Amino acid sequence: MRRKRGKPVPSAAVATMTTAEAVVETLIAHGFGTIYALPGVQNDLLFEALFKASGRLRTVHTRHEQGASLMALGAALASGRPQAYAVVPGPGLLNSATGLLTAYSMNAPVLGLVGQIPHADIGRGLGHLHEIRDQAGIIRRLVDHAALIRGPEHASRATALAVRAMLSGRPGPAVLECAIDMWGKTGVDALQRPLPPAVRKIDIDAVRKAARLLGAAKRPMIVCGGGAQDASAEVTALSAMLQAPVLAYRRGRGVLDSRNPFSVTLPLGRELWGEADVALAVGTRLLFQFREWGVDRDLTIIRIDADAEQHERWQRAKVALTGDAKPILQALLAELPGRNARRAPRRAEMQERQAKWRRRLEKIAPQIAFLEAMRDELPEDGIFVDEVTQLGFAARLAFPVYKPRTFLSPGYQDPLGWGFATALGAQDARRDVPVLAISGDGGFLFTACELASAVQHRIPLVTVVFNDGAFGNVRRIQQERYGNHLIASDLVNPDFVAFGESFGAAAVRVHAPQELRHALRRAFAERSVPTLIEVPVGALPSPWEFIHMGRVRGR
Ligand SMILES: Cc1ncc(C[n+]2csc(CCOP(=O)(O)OP(=O)(O)O)c2C)c(N)n1
Ligand SMILES: [Mg+2]
C-alpha cells in the first residue's frame, strides 16, 4: 500500500539511529546538500553523524559562527533553497545571531541547529559550559519557528516541521535546539518525509478586482521587493501588458532586467510614484513609499504578499492578495487581457527619463566608473553581493542587474560584514557562476577571518575592498552635520594584499577602474583560489541626495 505524502515512514534501519542521525537523514531527505558549521562539545554527536553522512551532506566549517549563519543565508539567497547551519549554545548562538536576524529581515529559509546544556538541567542556572539564560526565549525573539528536540522519536518530525515552517507563508529562518545528551540517544521510530508547505488558495475575486483596477489605470506602476524574485517572467509580461514601469531598489533588483527601460531604481522610481494612479506592490514592504514618498487618495494600492499581516501595516491596500507572487500574478495575467485599456507605448518616454537620471547621477561618477568596470567583467548570470559601503549605496541605485537572484542586498538590517561572508555562501552554493562581493575597509574586517574558510573549502569568491581608511559613511556625516567632530571613524588597516596572501588567497591592489577591470578579468578567468582586490580610494561623493528624496504625494 502506498503511504500518503507526509506520513512517517517506519523502517528497520531507524531503530539503531541516534537523534543526530535522524536529523541528518531528514535534512538529506529534504534536499539539503551542505551544512555550515562550527563544532563544540555540546554538538560532538551531531558532528559524528555528519562524519558518517559526509558523502551525502557536506560540512563546511567556518572560523566564527557569524560566518556560518551568513554563509547559510548567502547559499539560501543564491540557490532559492533552504539551507542549514550548526553552532554551540550561548556564545555560538549569539555569534550567529546577525545571520539569523538578517535571514529574518530578508525572509530567507535558514535553519539553525543550536546545541544545549544537559536536557534535565535546562533552566536550572547551574553554570554549564556555554549556558545562557532562557536560550529558547532568546531564539523565539529572532525567528518565528523554534523547537527543542525532546527525544530521538521527536527529532525527524521536528526537523521536517521546521523546514515546512521556513517555506510556508512568509518564508524565514527557524531554529532547532538539542541538548548535549540528546544527540546520541537511540529510539528513533520513523523518519519523517518532507511535509508539503501550506499553500493558500488564490482569492480569484480579489484577482479580478485587481485586474479591473490595473486594466483601467492611466499610469500604472509595479513595485517589486524580494518576494517577487521567483516571478520574473510574470512581472515582465505584466509590465509589457500595462506599459508599467517596475521599481526595485534592493531586494527586488533583477526581477525585471535592467536593460529593459521600464526597469527603474530609486530616483526615477520616486518620480513615477508621484505620477501613478494605480500601484501594484509585489512582495515588498513599500517602506520608501509609505515612510518617505507619501500616499494619497489619488493612488490606488494593490498588494501581493506572502504575509497577510503585511497588508495591515501602514494602511490597508485597496486589494490585498495573500500568497506566493508567481501563481497570483499568473492568475492576474489571465484575467487582464479582457479588461486592459488600449495603451500608448511608453518605451521612448522611459528611455528618455532613464537618460535624464543617468546624467544627474554623474554626481557620483567615481562610484559609477567602478560599477561599470565590475558590471562589464561580471558575466550576465554572475552574482553581485553588496555591503553597507559607498560602492554599495551606488550599486543599489545604478548597478545594472540582468537576472533574478543575482543582486544580493540585505534588507533593513544592513549589517556591516554581511557582504563577504554571505557572498562566500552564495559562491559555495552556486559554484557554476562567479560571485563578486564588495566591501569597505570597515565592513570587510568584520568577517575577514572567513578568508581562511574560503581557502580551505576552495570557494573562488572575488572580493573588492574599497579602502578609504575610514568608516567613511560615518565620517562624512560627522563632517557635514556635526562640524567636523571626527570621532571613532578613522581606521588603521592592515596591508590588505599581504593580509589576503597570508591566507593563501590571490591578492592585488589596483587604483583606477581600468585596472580593476583587468584584475577582475584575471580573477574570473582563474577561479582556483579566492581573490582579494584592494582599491584605495579617497572620500567619495555622497549618494544620499538620490536615496532620501522626500515626499512626492500626500503633502
Ligand atoms: C553591524 C553594524 N554596525 C555598525 C553599522 C553602522 N555603519 C554603517 S556604515 C558604517 C561605516 C562603513 O565603513 P566602511 O565599511 O569602510 O564603508 P565606507 O562607508 O567607508 O565606504 C558604519 C559603522 C552597521 N551598518 N552595521
Ligand atoms: Mg571605509
Side-chain angles (χ1 to χ4, degrees):
M1 194 186 79
R2 270 189 62 195
R3 299 197 141 253
K4 258 177 70 185
R5 212 166 125 76
K7 278 272 175 73
V9 192
S11 97
V14 299
T16 56
M17 236 180 220
T18 64
T19 299
E21 286 165 355
V23 169
V24 167
E25 286 305 323
T26 309
L27 288 177
I28 292 168
H30 281 75
F32 287 73
T34 305
I35 184 163
Y36 302 93
L38 205 154
V41 69
Q42 291 83 4
N43 290 345
D44 279 351
L45 285 161
L46 170 62
F47 282 78
E48 172 68 3
L50 289 171
F51 175 83
K52 289 184 183 159
S54 57
R56 295 176 297 140
L57 182 66
R58 292 163 65 225
T59 298
V60 172
H61 59 301
T62 63
R63 303 304 287 267
H64 185 283
E65 286 92 351
Q66 184 172 170
S69 58
L70 285 172
M71 280 180 75
L73 172 60
L77 295 170
S79 67
R81 304 235 350 114
Q83 303 286 341
Y85 76 91
V87 294
V88 296
L93 166 67
L94 295 185
N95 285 341
S96 79
T98 297
L100 267 189
L101 184 65
T102 310
Y104 182 81
S105 70
M106 300 182 79
N107 313 309
V110 170
L111 176 64
L113 300 179
V114 179
Q116 252 294 12
I117 62 166
H119 201 81
D121 287 348
I122 294 174
R124 295 183 67 203
L126 300 177
H128 283 281
L129 175 68
H130 301 337
E131 182 168 354
I132 184 169
R133 236 181 335 159
D134 193 16
Q135 176 163 285
I138 293 167
I139 290 167
R140 270 199 305 277
R141 296 290 166 121
L142 297 173
V143 298
D144 285 335
H145 181 99
L148 173 70
I149 296 176
R150 293 186 307 271
E153 68 290 349
H154 177 229
S156 179
R157 186 160 170 82
T159 307
L161 286 170
V163 177
R164 181 172 72 171
M166 295 201 295
L167 300 175
S168 298
R170 180 195 278 271
V175 170
L176 290 174
E177 288 179 278
C178 187
I180 180 170
D181 53 339
M182 198 57 75
W183 286 125
K185 282 223 162 89
T186 53
V188 175
D189 52 6
L191 287 182
Q192 177 66 56
R193 284 194 187 160
L195 299 161
V199 178
R200 266 200 180 239
K201 221 172 137 271
I202 296 177
D203 178 349
I204 198 69
D205 289 338
V207 169
R208 291 199 180 113
K209 194 169 162 193
R212 267 198 307 277
L213 289 164
L214 284 164
K218 298 256 173 331
R219 296 189 77 78
M221 166 172 197
I222 301 168
V223 184
C224 286
Q229 282 296 339
D230 294 326
S232 172
E234 291 75 14
V235 168
T236 306
L238 197 61
S239 165
M241 219 180 254
L242 295 169
Q243 290 296 288
V246 177
L247 163 61
Y249 172 43
R250 296 177 55 181
R251 308 270 342 273
R253 300 289 309 283
V255 172
L256 186 64
D257 189 323
S258 297
R259 291 167 292 200
N260 182 327
F262 287 82
S263 171
V264 306
T265 69
L266 271 201
L268 176 52
R270 171 180 165 276
E271 204 173 277
L272 292 159
W273 180 260
E275 301 163 8
D277 57 352
V278 180
L280 172 67
V282 187
T284 165
R285 293 187 172 84
L286 287 178
L287 208 57
F288 268 89
Q289 290 77 4
F290 283 121
R291 198 179 57 191
E292 301 192 21
W293 301 349
V295 293
D296 56 33
R297 281 157 183 253
D298 298 332
L299 177 66
T300 300
I301 297 177
I302 300 165
R303 295 187 80 154
I304 301 174
D305 206 286
D307 179 2
E309 278 180 42
Q310 192 63 49
H311 298 307
E312 310 300 332
R313 298 188 178 113
W314 296 100
Q315 71 169 51
R316 195 173 165 77
K318 177 94 171 176
V319 182
L321 286 150
T322 305
D324 280 353
K326 193 180 182 73
I328 293 176
L329 286 171
Q330 283 170 348
L332 188 58
L333 282 165
E335 294 292 332
L336 197 59
R339 299 178 167 90
N340 199 13
R342 284 180 65 88
R343 297 179 180 280
R346 292 185 68 184
R347 194 180 175 85
E349 175 207 336
M350 290 306 304
Q351 279 166 333
E352 211 170 284
R353 296 176 77 166
Q354 297 269 18
K356 182 191 81 180
W357 275 107
R358 262 197 302 277
R359 285 194 296 278
R360 292 203 188 162
L361 280 168
E362 277 166 19
K363 196 217 154 190
I364 55 168
Q367 289 98 307
I368 304 261
F370 284 121
L371 293 181
E372 277 173 1
M374 291 191 278
R375 180 66 277 182
D376 288 351
E377 296 306 324
L378 184 68
E380 189 160 325
D381 52 0
I383 297 172
F384 182 93
V385 184
D386 86 0
E387 165 81 40
V388 205
T389 176
Q390 301 315 305
L391 264 291
F393 299 135
R396 294 166 190 178
L397 299 171
F399 188 78
V401 185
Y402 305 141
K403 298 197 163 168
R405 294 192 185 281
T406 61
F407 184 85
L408 306 186
S409 180
Y412 56 85
Q413 287 303 336
D414 248 352
L416 277 175
W418 110 294
F420 177 60
T422 304
L424 279 176
Q427 181 69 88
D428 185 58
R430 290 292 313 275
R431 300 237 166 199
D432 54 322
V433 293
V435 179
L436 172 60
I438 57 160
S439 287
D441 46 331
F444 179 65
L445 281 190
F446 274 58
T447 45
C449 60
E450 303 304 347
L451 261 175
S453 315
V455 170
Q456 180 156 15
H457 300 290
R458 299 176 192 280
I459 302 173
L461 175 69
V462 178
T463 306
V464 185
V465 175
F466 291 90
N467 177 8
D468 62 352
F471 287 136
N473 207 55
V474 176
R475 182 174 60 186
R476 193 174 48 227
I477 292 170
Q478 291 171 349
Q479 285 167 336
E480 292 178 358
R481 288 198 218 150
Y482 299 99
N484 206 30
H485 294 171
L486 301 181
I487 178 164
S489 58
D490 59 323
L491 298 176
V492 173
N493 284 315
D495 173 336
F496 283 107
V497 173
F499 180 78
E501 283 174 344
S502 74
F503 282 88
V508 61
R509 183 175 296 113
V510 302
H511 296 86
Q514 195 56 26
E515 283 179 63
L516 176 59
R517 232 172 248 276
H518 292 137
L520 287 171
R521 197 167 303 168
R522 272 196 303 277
F524 289 139
E526 185 63 34
R527 296 190 78 221
S528 56
V529 288
T531 299
L532 183 62
I533 302 174
E534 184 203 348
V535 185
V537 289
L540 291 162
S542 170
W544 292 106
E545 68 194 71
F546 303 111
I547 298 171
H548 297 298
M549 300 184 79
R551 293 186 94 72
V552 275
R553 309 190 72 112
R555 282 165 221 278

